[in-house]
Amino acid sequence: MTEQNQNVENNETAEMPQAEQGEAQEKPSYEDLEAKIAELEGMLKDEQLRGLANEQNLRRRHTEEIQAAHKYAGQKFAAEMLPVKDYLEMALLDQSGNFDALKTGVQMTLNELNKAFEHTQITEINPQPGDKLDPHHHQAMQVVESEQEPNTVVSVLKKGYQLADRVLRPAMVTVAQGGEAGN
């Protein structure tokens, strides 16, 4: 069929009354429509069930991931601490009596521990004398008379530590009472 004949035939179909076009295309029966509706409802129900199953799987996986995160939260730190334990065990096994070698071993162990702290974002809280007392990072263990400004750190009894921005242990400090307080 040539393109011109096809265009003429399409124009004739467009000009035909709708009743004649309807006869050319048979209307679906009521039973056919009901079957199509049942098929679509089945497909919809299947998609609903798949969606619910997918949602349940996501919840289950999310719960498992949270449990694993809690269970293995200290894994990185534990792995960093293994060499420290190894060095301490080696130091205890040393029977040489060489204190310089023992001191070198302890220094190596401390270096390894500092490296582990750095990798796991554990930092020291080590206030300097004269720093203002910060109750979020310092714990006043003693108050002493001093020429320093009141409520400032005089000395550090124990360093504090924090993990990222969370305090693990505050620095334990001696605080100045002030020069005039005892008079």
mmCIF file of all heavy atoms in Angstrom, residues 15 35 40-41 43 48-49 52 59 69 76 90 96 99 115 117 121 129 132 139 161-163 179:
data_model
loop_
_atom_site.group_PDB
_atom_site.id
_atom_site.type_symbol
_atom_site.label_atom_id
_atom_site.label_comp_id
_atom_site.label_asym_id
_atom_site.label_seq_id
_atom_site.Cartn_x
_atom_site.Cartn_y
_atom_site.Cartn_z
ATOM 1 N N GLU A 15 -13.654 9.888 9.168
ATOM 2 C CA GLU A 15 -14.914 10.483 8.754
ATOM 3 C C GLU A 15 -16.083 9.552 8.990
ATOM 4 O O GLU A 15 -17.229 9.981 8.937
ATOM 5 C CB GLU A 15 -14.840 10.867 7.264
ATOM 6 C CG GLU A 15 -13.864 11.990 6.992
ATOM 7 C CD GLU A 15 -13.666 12.251 5.507
ATOM 8 O OE1 GLU A 15 -14.318 11.619 4.682
ATOM 9 O OE2 GLU A 15 -12.820 13.100 5.186
ATOM 10 N N ALA A 35 -13.284 -9.920 34.247
ATOM 11 C CA ALA A 35 -12.045 -10.693 34.259
ATOM 12 C C ALA A 35 -10.845 -9.741 34.289
ATOM 13 O O ALA A 35 -9.866 -9.982 35.006
ATOM 14 C CB ALA A 35 -11.967 -11.610 33.048
ATOM 15 N N LEU A 40 -6.482 -7.103 37.294
ATOM 16 C CA LEU A 40 -5.835 -5.893 37.808
ATOM 17 C C LEU A 40 -5.820 -5.877 39.334
ATOM 18 O O LEU A 40 -4.827 -5.467 39.952
ATOM 19 C CB LEU A 40 -6.523 -4.645 37.263
ATOM 20 C CG LEU A 40 -6.339 -4.397 35.766
ATOM 21 C CD1 LEU A 40 -7.213 -3.230 35.308
ATOM 22 C CD2 LEU A 40 -4.882 -4.128 35.433
ATOM 23 N N GLU A 41 -6.931 -6.335 39.954
ATOM 24 C CA GLU A 41 -6.965 -6.409 41.419
ATOM 25 C C GLU A 41 -5.916 -7.396 41.930
ATOM 26 O O GLU A 41 -5.268 -7.154 42.945
ATOM 27 C CB GLU A 41 -8.360 -6.808 41.902
ATOM 28 C CG GLU A 41 -9.368 -5.682 41.825
ATOM 29 C CD GLU A 41 -10.780 -6.112 42.224
ATOM 30 O OE1 GLU A 41 -11.065 -7.336 42.236
ATOM 31 O OE2 GLU A 41 -11.588 -5.229 42.521
ATOM 32 N N MET A 43 -3.099 -8.154 40.423
ATOM 33 C CA MET A 43 -1.789 -7.523 40.252
ATOM 34 C C MET A 43 -1.545 -6.501 41.363
ATOM 35 O O MET A 43 -0.439 -6.418 41.904
ATOM 36 C CB MET A 43 -1.693 -6.853 38.878
ATOM 37 C CG MET A 43 -1.619 -7.845 37.721
ATOM 38 S SD MET A 43 -1.775 -7.076 36.084
ATOM 39 C CE MET A 43 -0.425 -5.938 36.072
ATOM 40 N N GLN A 48 1.060 -4.988 46.453
ATOM 41 C CA GLN A 48 0.923 -4.627 47.863
ATOM 42 C C GLN A 48 1.714 -5.591 48.741
ATOM 43 O O GLN A 48 2.443 -5.175 49.640
ATOM 44 C CB GLN A 48 -0.546 -4.675 48.291
ATOM 45 C CG GLN A 48 -1.232 -3.357 48.367
ATOM 46 C CD GLN A 48 -2.658 -3.517 48.876
ATOM 47 O OE1 GLN A 48 -3.298 -4.548 48.707
ATOM 48 N NE2 GLN A 48 -3.160 -2.477 49.494
ATOM 49 N N LEU A 49 1.558 -6.873 48.483
ATOM 50 C CA LEU A 49 2.260 -7.886 49.268
ATOM 51 C C LEU A 49 3.773 -7.759 49.091
ATOM 52 O O LEU A 49 4.531 -7.888 50.059
ATOM 53 C CB LEU A 49 1.788 -9.287 48.884
ATOM 54 C CG LEU A 49 0.355 -9.637 49.293
ATOM 55 C CD1 LEU A 49 -0.034 -11.005 48.735
ATOM 56 C CD2 LEU A 49 0.199 -9.606 50.805
ATOM 57 N N LEU A 52 4.892 -4.767 51.179
ATOM 58 C CA LEU A 52 4.927 -5.091 52.605
ATOM 59 C C LEU A 52 6.114 -5.980 52.939
ATOM 60 O O LEU A 52 6.797 -5.784 53.950
ATOM 61 C CB LEU A 52 3.627 -5.775 53.025
ATOM 62 C CG LEU A 52 2.392 -4.878 53.095
ATOM 63 C CD1 LEU A 52 1.132 -5.717 53.340
ATOM 64 C CD2 LEU A 52 2.547 -3.834 54.189
ATOM 65 N N ARG A 59 13.111 -3.300 57.577
ATOM 66 C CA ARG A 59 13.077 -3.156 59.042
ATOM 67 C C ARG A 59 13.977 -4.193 59.704
ATOM 68 O O ARG A 59 14.717 -3.882 60.632
ATOM 69 C CB ARG A 59 11.652 -3.309 59.562
ATOM 70 C CG ARG A 59 10.810 -2.090 59.366
ATOM 71 C CD ARG A 59 9.485 -2.230 60.055
ATOM 72 N NE ARG A 59 8.661 -1.078 59.757
ATOM 73 C CZ ARG A 59 7.351 -1.077 59.772
ATOM 74 N NH1 ARG A 59 6.699 -2.178 60.071
ATOM 75 N NH2 ARG A 59 6.680 0.009 59.483
ATOM 76 N N ALA A 69 26.025 -2.933 65.204
ATOM 77 C CA ALA A 69 26.757 -1.723 65.566
ATOM 78 C C ALA A 69 26.973 -1.661 67.078
ATOM 79 O O ALA A 69 28.060 -1.319 67.542
ATOM 80 C CB ALA A 69 26.010 -0.479 65.087
ATOM 81 N N LYS A 76 37.015 -1.341 66.750
ATOM 82 C CA LYS A 76 38.163 -0.554 66.271
ATOM 83 C C LYS A 76 39.130 -0.299 67.420
ATOM 84 O O LYS A 76 40.340 -0.480 67.276
ATOM 85 C CB LYS A 76 37.663 0.766 65.676
ATOM 86 C CG LYS A 76 38.775 1.636 65.136
ATOM 87 C CD LYS A 76 38.230 2.917 64.538
ATOM 88 C CE LYS A 76 39.358 3.783 64.028
ATOM 89 N NZ LYS A 76 38.902 5.073 63.546
ATOM 90 N N MET A 90 55.212 -8.803 76.696
ATOM 91 C CA MET A 90 56.642 -8.977 76.427
ATOM 92 C C MET A 90 57.473 -8.367 77.558
ATOM 93 O O MET A 90 58.489 -8.937 77.975
ATOM 94 C CB MET A 90 57.036 -8.348 75.081
ATOM 95 C CG MET A 90 56.588 -9.159 73.890
ATOM 96 S SD MET A 90 57.262 -8.561 72.319
ATOM 97 C CE MET A 90 56.491 -6.973 72.136
ATOM 98 N N SER A 96 65.775 -10.000 81.902
ATOM 99 C CA SER A 96 67.159 -9.519 81.770
ATOM 100 C C SER A 96 67.581 -8.629 82.936
ATOM 101 O O SER A 96 68.764 -8.526 83.231
ATOM 102 C CB SER A 96 67.346 -8.789 80.445
ATOM 103 O OG SER A 96 66.648 -7.559 80.473
ATOM 104 N N PHE A 99 67.132 -2.250 83.175
ATOM 105 C CA PHE A 99 66.100 -1.231 83.369
ATOM 106 C C PHE A 99 65.979 -0.294 82.172
ATOM 107 O O PHE A 99 64.893 0.204 81.885
ATOM 108 C CB PHE A 99 66.341 -0.449 84.659
ATOM 109 C CG PHE A 99 66.083 -1.271 85.886
ATOM 110 C CD1 PHE A 99 67.131 -1.663 86.708
ATOM 111 C CD2 PHE A 99 64.801 -1.668 86.208
ATOM 112 C CE1 PHE A 99 66.895 -2.436 87.828
ATOM 113 C CE2 PHE A 99 64.548 -2.433 87.332
ATOM 114 C CZ PHE A 99 65.606 -2.838 88.150
ATOM 115 N N LYS A 115 48.987 6.188 69.952
ATOM 116 C CA LYS A 115 48.573 6.013 68.555
ATOM 117 C C LYS A 115 47.152 5.438 68.486
ATOM 118 O O LYS A 115 46.328 5.874 67.685
ATOM 119 C CB LYS A 115 49.563 5.088 67.835
ATOM 120 C CG LYS A 115 49.423 5.097 66.345
ATOM 121 C CD LYS A 115 50.499 4.376 65.537
ATOM 122 C CE LYS A 115 51.373 3.419 66.264
ATOM 123 N NZ LYS A 115 52.208 2.597 65.388
ATOM 124 N N PHE A 117 44.851 5.792 70.794
ATOM 125 C CA PHE A 117 43.947 6.871 71.196
ATOM 126 C C PHE A 117 43.700 7.831 70.028
ATOM 127 O O PHE A 117 42.575 8.252 69.794
ATOM 128 C CB PHE A 117 44.526 7.637 72.389
ATOM 129 C CG PHE A 117 44.281 6.991 73.725
ATOM 130 C CD1 PHE A 117 43.829 5.684 73.842
ATOM 131 C CD2 PHE A 117 44.524 7.694 74.887
ATOM 132 C CE1 PHE A 117 43.610 5.095 75.076
ATOM 133 C CE2 PHE A 117 44.299 7.119 76.127
ATOM 134 C CZ PHE A 117 43.850 5.815 76.227
ATOM 135 N N GLN A 121 40.063 8.661 68.201
ATOM 136 C CA GLN A 121 39.627 10.014 68.558
ATOM 137 C C GLN A 121 39.493 10.227 70.060
ATOM 138 O O GLN A 121 38.616 10.938 70.527
ATOM 139 C CB GLN A 121 38.301 10.361 67.864
ATOM 140 C CG GLN A 121 38.384 10.408 66.366
ATOM 141 C CD GLN A 121 37.066 10.798 65.734
ATOM 142 O OE1 GLN A 121 36.007 10.635 66.323
ATOM 143 N NE2 GLN A 121 37.137 11.322 64.541
ATOM 144 N N PRO A 129 47.979 25.276 84.624
ATOM 145 C CA PRO A 129 47.781 26.159 85.781
ATOM 146 C C PRO A 129 47.355 27.551 85.312
ATOM 147 O O PRO A 129 47.909 28.096 84.363
ATOM 148 C CB PRO A 129 49.156 26.202 86.449
ATOM 149 C CG PRO A 129 49.789 24.902 86.060
ATOM 150 C CD PRO A 129 49.295 24.632 84.653
ATOM 151 N N LYS A 132 40.793 28.646 83.655
ATOM 152 C CA LYS A 132 39.530 28.705 84.387
ATOM 153 C C LYS A 132 38.975 27.291 84.577
ATOM 154 O O LYS A 132 39.094 26.443 83.694
ATOM 155 C CB LYS A 132 38.480 29.518 83.605
ATOM 156 C CG LYS A 132 38.525 30.990 83.862
ATOM 157 C CD LYS A 132 37.940 31.275 85.215
ATOM 158 C CE LYS A 132 37.490 32.710 85.337
ATOM 159 N NZ LYS A 132 37.341 33.069 86.735
ATOM 160 N N GLN A 139 37.093 18.355 87.154
ATOM 161 C CA GLN A 139 36.456 18.054 88.429
ATOM 162 C C GLN A 139 37.384 18.543 89.530
ATOM 163 O O GLN A 139 38.533 18.077 89.640
ATOM 164 C CB GLN A 139 36.207 16.557 88.575
ATOM 165 C CG GLN A 139 35.510 16.193 89.854
ATOM 166 C CD GLN A 139 35.186 14.711 89.928
ATOM 167 O OE1 GLN A 139 35.400 13.965 88.981
ATOM 168 N NE2 GLN A 139 34.673 14.284 91.062
ATOM 169 N N TYR A 161 39.976 12.633 79.857
ATOM 170 C CA TYR A 161 39.947 12.141 78.474
ATOM 171 C C TYR A 161 38.555 12.326 77.901
ATOM 172 O O TYR A 161 37.553 12.257 78.617
ATOM 173 C CB TYR A 161 40.346 10.656 78.421
ATOM 174 C CG TYR A 161 41.784 10.436 78.821
ATOM 175 C CD1 TYR A 161 42.128 10.180 80.142
ATOM 176 C CD2 TYR A 161 42.802 10.549 77.883
ATOM 177 C CE1 TYR A 161 43.449 10.021 80.513
ATOM 178 C CE2 TYR A 161 44.129 10.394 78.244
ATOM 179 C CZ TYR A 161 44.440 10.122 79.561
ATOM 180 O OH TYR A 161 45.749 9.976 79.927
ATOM 181 N N GLN A 162 38.539 12.546 76.598
ATOM 182 C CA GLN A 162 37.259 12.636 75.902
ATOM 183 C C GLN A 162 37.326 11.865 74.598
ATOM 184 O O GLN A 162 38.392 11.750 73.992
ATOM 185 C CB GLN A 162 36.832 14.080 75.677
ATOM 186 C CG GLN A 162 37.727 14.919 74.797
ATOM 187 C CD GLN A 162 37.245 16.367 74.753
ATOM 188 O OE1 GLN A 162 36.548 16.851 75.637
ATOM 189 N NE2 GLN A 162 37.641 17.057 73.704
ATOM 190 N N LEU A 163 36.199 11.313 74.217
ATOM 191 C CA LEU A 163 36.049 10.583 72.958
ATOM 192 C C LEU A 163 35.269 11.494 72.032
ATOM 193 O O LEU A 163 34.103 11.797 72.301
ATOM 194 C CB LEU A 163 35.301 9.269 73.184
ATOM 195 C CG LEU A 163 34.948 8.457 71.944
ATOM 196 C CD1 LEU A 163 36.206 8.036 71.194
ATOM 197 C CD2 LEU A 163 34.137 7.237 72.327
ATOM 198 N N GLY A 179 43.458 34.463 97.120
ATOM 199 C CA GLY A 179 44.389 34.978 98.144
ATOM 200 C C GLY A 179 43.692 35.552 99.350
ATOM 201 O O GLY A 179 44.184 35.481 100.457
#
